[in-house]
Amino acid sequence: MPRLLILGGTSEARELGERLAARADLAVTISLAGRTARPAPQAVAVRVGGFGGTAGLADYLGRQRIDALIDATHPFAVTIATHAAAAATAVSIPLLALKRPPWQPVEGDRWRDVADRAAAVAATGTTPRRIFLALGRQDLGPFELAPQHTYLVRSVDPVSPPLRLERVTYVCARGPFSEADDRALLSAHRIDAVVAKNSGGPATYSKIAAARSLGLKVIMIARPAAPAVPTVETVAEAIAWLDHDHAFTAAKDRGV
Ligand code: NAP
């Protein structure tokens, strides 16, 4: 039976696993980095932890006799995306990237687009403000360079060690959140600016919609450049690729 590895850690990867779980013609495994202590349940087999760079991933693909790879990791997870491109080439299996499109500003949005986290820190300015950092735990460190602000940080697991900043409120919660939830959160903490990554997708859009409705500025961090590989934006397109494109040519050639 053809074997598919999905590099996950996103709602799209989980949904793709759910859509493929019942298929008798495909053996599917999802790989998670192991960043969250209690990851959301998956409908297919799961392996957890890094592979050990490109060579480790190529070795895993070979040993597990994986026939096709779908990189459904987060659009900001470019290290694993780069490793996936190199490893798939090394073992000659097809690779598809499943990456949701970025958000686009709509009427009423007050976005300031910045290139990266350092530029986001600079864009917060020198005047003390109340800022919601809608970022992953690994993105927070650069804000220690801007101790003049008061921060609100929301994360799935606690931020440990805490930031070396005097004025931070930590909220532990797992999304998705509604726009009303996020409006209430931003109002309760008297937030006047939001820092966000342009992740795209509906799951984390509530804070962007809430900021718009409250007239708040959003410092929006652009996506990093991704490797040039065949890419689709939806789970349905990824399934079409599996079924109709060349994903399992290698398996068929081997007579699997
Ligand atoms: P990254 O910087 O691109 O990757 C760092 C290392 O983590 C990789 O070199 C790899 O280790 C390991 N890794 C990443 N994704 C993996 C996966 N799905 N399975 C096995 N190992 C993986 O990634 P990141 O930005 O830290 O993100 C880590 C995970 O969180 C990703 O799976 C991503 O989908 C998810 N996520 C990220 C963000 C974000 O904003 N970056 C947001 C939501 C979810 P080795 O080199 O040892 O193989």
Side-chain angles (χ1 to χ4, degrees):
M1 191 188 299
R3 295 163 70 84
L4 170 69
L5 180 68
I6 301 169
L7 299 172
T10 57
S11 48
E12 288 79 10
R14 195 168 62 247
E15 190 189 330
L16 182 59
E18 279 164 11
R19 298 269 299 271
L20 296 174
R23 296 219 352 199
D25 61 339
L26 204 56
V28 183
T29 301
I30 288 188
S31 174
L32 302 176
R35 295 282 192 276
T36 48
R38 283 175 293 111
Q42 308 281 344
V44 296
V46 176
R47 66 153 307 281
V48 181
F51 297 95
T54 300
L57 177 55
D59 183 56
Y60 176 92
L61 296 172
R63 274 189 293 108
Q64 296 294 321
R65 303 190 341 276
I66 300 295
D67 298 296
L69 180 61
I70 294 184
D71 168 19
T73 58
H74 191 272
F76 280 74
V78 283
T79 303
I80 188 70
T82 306
H83 293 175
T89 301
V91 298
S92 301
I93 62 167
L95 165 67
L96 182 74
L98 167 57
K99 305 282 163 170
R100 52 181 103 131
W103 298 314
Q104 301 296 336
V106 300
E107 198 180 333
D109 277 327
R110 295 177 58 214
W111 289 12
R112 170 145 176 214
D113 292 309
V114 295
D116 52 28
R117 290 174 300 184
V121 174
T124 61
T126 51
T127 306
R129 304 166 87 184
R130 300 182 65 85
I131 297 177
F132 178 35
L133 297 179
L135 302 172
R137 286 180 297 164
Q138 72 283 4
D139 300 312
L140 300 172
F143 291 87
E144 291 180 341
L145 297 173
Q148 67 274 25
H149 304 305
T150 300
Y151 294 100
L152 172 66
V153 172
R154 178 170 66 194
S155 54
V156 176
D157 294 315
V159 176
S160 178
L163 295 170
R164 284 169 297 180
L165 287 165
E166 273 180 33
R167 288 175 296 279
V168 191
T169 301
Y170 298 98
V171 175
C172 276
R174 186 194 290 270
F177 307 99
S178 70
E179 181 184 337
D181 289 340
D182 278 358
R183 224 174 19 237
L185 182 77
L186 297 177
S187 298
H189 290 267
R190 293 178 290 116
I191 294 299
D192 43 36
V194 174
V195 181
K197 297 195 282 195
N198 196 336
S199 300
T204 58
Y205 189 69
S206 53
K207 68 209 172 209
I208 307 300
R212 178 167 60 239
S213 70
L214 293 170
L216 304 183
K217 185 167 160 183
V218 175
I219 297 169
M220 185 65 82
I221 304 174
R223 292 183 176 191
V229 300
T231 302
V232 296
E233 293 184 341
T234 65
V235 168
E237 289 172 294
I239 292 172
W241 178 80
L242 283 172
D243 286 338
H244 304 300
D245 293 349
H246 308 294
F248 293 117
T249 308
K252 284 182 199 134
D253 287 351
R254 290 204 313 269
V256 176

